[in-house]
Amino acid sequence: MQALAGSLMEIAGQLAAAVILGIFLAFRDVWKLAELLFLPEYIAVLALLAVMGGIAFRILYKKKRSIQILCQKMRQPAFWKTFGINVCLYMAVLFLLSALMCMLVCLLAKQDLKISEAGEIMTVYVLAWMTGFMIPGAPGGLGVREFVITYLTKENRMQEVILLAMVLHRMITVFGDMLGYLWGKGNRR
């Protein structure tokens, strides 16, 4: 039960980091999206899901002692402090990865990006990352991120460069994952 709760909190933290970073990078676009989501149909569906989730949680809370213990731990300030620190770390990593994407685009295009272009690329990266993270069955968002970036940059003058940068970015992150795995395996010995 603790592993499931930990996984859910990690997902919540990463999504919170992506949303917060998205707000900073593209406030106007996020506001437009929020206006779309606050249509009565969406509010009704979200309310229904919240009520159903609340009822399910209440039933499980009464029947499972492990859920009661987890809820007691979540009431402690140390839990929320750790959660906040994790969200900040997730935001920093997302920011650095999206900045790496911008650097790759600059190197491949052999020109500097305008601030608005860099902001757009970073926003697209964060949205693509979040979508890839949320789609089940796609390990590491494989293919999902690339599709989202292709779709969101279809009218960008540098789409081909951005896509090439995405492929290189994917190769760099896979290489980093492999190095992390090998380093961890080596430290166990």
Side-chain angles (χ1 to χ4, degrees):
M1 183 56 77
Q2 287 185 345
L4 175 63
S7 294
L8 291 175
M9 291 308 295
E10 180 184 8
I11 290 168
Q14 290 187 3
L15 291 177
V19 167
I20 292 167
L21 193 57
I23 288 171
F24 283 118
L25 291 172
F27 182 76
R28 280 187 231 136
D29 295 333
V30 172
W31 187 255
K32 287 178 190 175
L33 181 62
E35 287 175 345
L36 287 174
L37 291 177
F38 286 114
L39 293 173
E41 304 88 44
Y42 290 121
I43 291 175
V45 169
L46 290 174
L48 180 64
L49 288 174
V51 168
M52 289 171 47
I55 291 170
F57 178 78
R58 186 76 178 153
I59 291 169
L60 287 174
Y61 183 81
K62 285 184 176 183
K63 292 186 177 197
K64 293 267 187 186
R65 176 79 179 130
S66 58
I67 292 178
Q68 294 171 5
I69 292 169
L70 284 172
C71 288
Q72 288 173 351
K73 289 180 181 180
M74 288 177 65
R75 289 186 188 125
Q76 298 174 1
F79 172 85
W80 291 105
K81 179 182 176 185
T82 303
F83 182 77
I85 291 169
N86 284 342
V87 169
C88 290
L89 290 172
Y90 295 143
M91 282 179 19
V93 168
L94 264 178
F95 182 80
L96 291 173
L97 287 172
S98 60
L100 172 64
M101 181 73 172
C102 286
M103 287 177 17
L104 288 171
V105 170
C106 284
L107 290 172
L108 293 170
K110 297 179 183 167
Q111 65 182 25
D112 290 337
L113 293 173
K114 298 175 189 168
I115 291 176
S116 61
E117 290 175 324
E120 179 186 351
I121 290 169
M122 292 175 85
T123 303
V124 165
Y125 179 83
V126 170
L127 287 172
W129 179 88
M130 192 165 70
T131 306
F133 181 72
M134 291 174 48
I135 301 292
L142 192 60
V144 175
R145 280 194 260 174
E146 290 77 6
F147 172 77
V148 171
I149 287 177
T150 302
Y151 180 76
L152 292 176
T153 60
K154 65 184 173 193
E155 295 180 14
N156 191 305
R157 65 179 176 85
M158 297 186 345
Q159 183 189 33
E160 287 136 13
V161 175
I162 294 170
L163 294 177
L164 180 57
M166 185 65 221
V167 170
L168 289 173
H169 190 281
R170 175 68 76 173
M171 291 169 57
I172 291 168
T173 57
V174 168
F175 183 69
D177 289 345
M178 286 177 22
L179 283 178
Y181 169 77
L182 292 173
W183 182 64
K185 195 158 180 85
N187 280 341
R188 275 200 246 170
R189 292 180 188 185

Coordinates of all heavy atoms in Angstrom, one line a residue, residues 11 14-20 22 30 33 94 123-135 141 144-145 148:
I11 N 3.5 10.9 -8.9 CA 2.8 11.4 -10.1 C 2.2 12.7 -9.8 O 2.3 13.7 -10.6 CB 1.7 10.3 -10.4 CG1 2.3 9.1 -11.0 CG2 0.7 10.9 -11.4 CD1 1.4 7.9 -11.1
Q14 N 4.9 15.4 -9.8 CA 5.4 15.7 -11.2 C 4.4 16.5 -12.0 O 4.8 17.4 -12.8 CB 5.9 14.4 -11.9 CG 7.1 13.8 -11.3 CD 7.7 12.7 -12.0 OE1 7.2 12.3 -13.1 NE2 8.7 12.1 -11.5
L15 N 3.1 16.1 -11.9 CA 2.1 16.9 -12.6 C 2.0 18.3 -12.0 O 1.8 19.3 -12.8 CB 0.8 16.1 -12.5 CG 0.7 14.8 -13.3 CD1 -0.7 14.2 -13.1 CD2 1.0 15.1 -14.8
A16 N 2.1 18.4 -10.7 CA 2.1 19.8 -10.1 C 3.2 20.6 -10.6 O 3.1 21.8 -11.0 CB 2.1 19.7 -8.6
A17 N 4.4 20.0 -10.7 CA 5.6 20.7 -11.2 C 5.4 21.2 -12.7 O 5.7 22.3 -13.0 CB 6.8 19.8 -11.1
A18 N 4.9 20.3 -13.5 CA 4.6 20.6 -14.9 C 3.6 21.7 -15.0 O 3.8 22.6 -15.9 CB 4.2 19.4 -15.7
V19 N 2.6 21.7 -14.3 CA 1.5 22.7 -14.3 C 2.1 24.1 -13.9 O 1.9 25.1 -14.5 CB 0.3 22.3 -13.5 CG1 -0.7 23.5 -13.3 CG2 -0.4 21.2 -14.2
I20 N 2.8 24.1 -12.8 CA 3.4 25.3 -12.3 C 4.4 25.9 -13.3 O 4.3 27.1 -13.6 CB 4.0 25.1 -10.9 CG1 3.0 24.8 -9.8 CG2 4.9 26.3 -10.5 CD1 3.5 24.2 -8.5
G22 N 4.5 25.3 -16.5 CA 3.7 25.7 -17.6 C 3.1 27.0 -17.4 O 3.0 27.9 -18.4
V30 N -2.1 28.8 -20.8 CA -2.7 28.1 -19.7 C -4.1 28.7 -19.3 O -5.0 28.0 -19.0 CB -1.8 28.0 -18.5 CG1 -2.4 27.4 -17.3 CG2 -0.5 27.3 -18.8
L33 N -6.6 27.5 -21.8 CA -7.0 26.1 -21.5 C -7.9 26.1 -20.3 O -8.9 25.3 -20.3 CB -5.7 25.3 -21.3 CG -5.9 23.8 -21.0 CD1 -6.5 23.1 -22.2 CD2 -4.5 23.2 -20.7
L94 N 12.6 19.6 -15.0 CA 11.9 19.9 -16.2 C 12.4 21.2 -16.9 O 12.5 21.2 -18.1 CB 10.4 20.1 -15.8 CG 9.5 18.9 -16.0 CD1 8.1 19.3 -15.6 CD2 9.5 18.4 -17.4
T123 N 7.7 25.4 -23.4 CA 6.3 25.1 -23.1 C 5.9 23.8 -23.8 O 5.3 22.9 -23.2 CB 5.3 26.3 -23.5 OG1 5.8 27.4 -22.8 CG2 3.9 25.9 -23.1
V124 N 6.2 23.8 -25.1 CA 5.9 22.6 -25.9 C 6.5 21.3 -25.3 O 5.9 20.3 -25.2 CB 6.2 22.8 -27.4 CG1 6.2 21.5 -28.1 CG2 5.3 23.8 -28.0
Y125 N 7.8 21.5 -24.9 CA 8.5 20.4 -24.3 C 7.8 19.9 -23.0 O 7.6 18.7 -22.8 CB 10.0 20.7 -24.0 CG 10.7 19.6 -23.3 CD1 11.2 18.5 -24.1 CD2 10.8 19.5 -22.0 CE1 11.8 17.4 -23.5 CE2 11.4 18.4 -21.4 CZ 11.9 17.4 -22.1 OH 12.5 16.3 -21.6
V126 N 7.5 20.9 -22.1 CA 6.8 20.5 -20.8 C 5.5 19.8 -21.1 O 5.1 18.8 -20.5 CB 6.6 21.8 -19.9 CG1 5.8 21.5 -18.7 CG2 8.0 22.2 -19.5
L127 N 4.7 20.4 -22.1 CA 3.4 19.7 -22.4 C 3.6 18.3 -23.0 O 2.9 17.4 -22.6 CB 2.6 20.6 -23.4 CG 2.0 21.9 -22.8 CD1 1.5 22.7 -24.0 CD2 0.9 21.5 -21.8
A128 N 4.6 18.2 -23.8 CA 4.9 16.9 -24.4 C 5.3 15.9 -23.4 O 4.9 14.7 -23.3 CB 5.9 17.0 -25.5
W129 N 6.2 16.4 -22.5 CA 6.7 15.5 -21.4 C 5.5 15.1 -20.5 O 5.4 13.9 -20.2 CB 7.7 16.3 -20.6 CG 8.2 15.4 -19.4 CD1 9.2 14.5 -19.4 CD2 7.6 15.3 -18.1 NE1 9.3 13.9 -18.2 CE2 8.4 14.4 -17.4 CE3 6.6 16.0 -17.5 CZ2 8.1 14.1 -16.1 CZ3 6.3 15.7 -16.2 CH2 7.0 14.7 -15.5
M130 N 4.6 16.0 -20.1 CA 3.5 15.7 -19.3 C 2.6 14.7 -19.9 O 2.1 13.8 -19.3 CB 2.8 17.0 -18.9 CG 1.8 16.7 -17.8 SD 1.2 18.2 -17.0 CE 0.2 18.9 -18.3
T131 N 2.3 14.9 -21.2 CA 1.4 14.0 -22.0 C 2.1 12.6 -22.0 O 1.4 11.6 -21.8 CB 1.2 14.5 -23.4 OG1 0.7 15.8 -23.3 CG2 0.2 13.6 -24.1
G132 N 3.4 12.5 -22.3 CA 4.0 11.2 -22.4 C 4.1 10.5 -21.0 O 4.0 9.3 -21.0
F133 N 4.2 11.3 -20.0 CA 4.2 10.8 -18.6 C 2.8 10.2 -18.3 O 2.7 9.2 -17.6 CB 4.5 11.9 -17.6 CG 4.6 11.5 -16.2 CD1 5.6 10.7 -15.8 CD2 3.6 11.9 -15.3 CE1 5.7 10.3 -14.4 CE2 3.7 11.5 -14.0 CZ 4.7 10.7 -13.6
M134 N 1.7 10.8 -18.7 CA 0.4 10.4 -18.4 C -0.2 9.3 -19.2 O -1.1 8.6 -18.8 CB -0.6 11.6 -18.4 CG -0.3 12.6 -17.3 SD -1.2 14.1 -17.5 CE -2.9 13.6 -17.7
I135 N 0.4 9.0 -20.4 CA -0.2 8.0 -21.3 C 0.3 6.6 -20.8 O 1.5 6.4 -20.8 CB 0.3 8.2 -22.7 CG1 -0.2 9.6 -23.3 CG2 -0.2 7.1 -23.6 CD1 -1.7 9.7 -23.4
G141 N 7.2 7.6 -22.2 CA 6.5 8.5 -23.2 C 7.0 8.3 -24.6 O 6.8 9.2 -25.5
V144 N 5.1 9.3 -27.8 CA 4.0 10.3 -27.4 C 4.6 11.7 -27.4 O 4.0 12.6 -28.0 CB 3.5 9.9 -26.0 CG1 2.5 10.9 -25.6 CG2 2.8 8.5 -26.1
R145 N 5.7 11.9 -26.7 CA 6.3 13.2 -26.7 C 6.6 13.7 -28.1 O 6.4 14.9 -28.4 CB 7.7 13.2 -25.9 CG 7.4 13.2 -24.4 CD 8.7 13.5 -23.7 NE 9.3 12.3 -23.2 CZ 10.5 12.2 -22.6 NH1 11.2 13.2 -22.5 NH2 10.9 11.1 -22.2
V148 N 3.4 14.8 -29.8 CA 2.9 16.1 -29.3 C 3.7 17.2 -29.8 O 3.2 18.3 -30.2 CB 2.8 16.0 -27.7 CG1 2.5 17.4 -27.1 CG2 1.8 15.0 -27.3

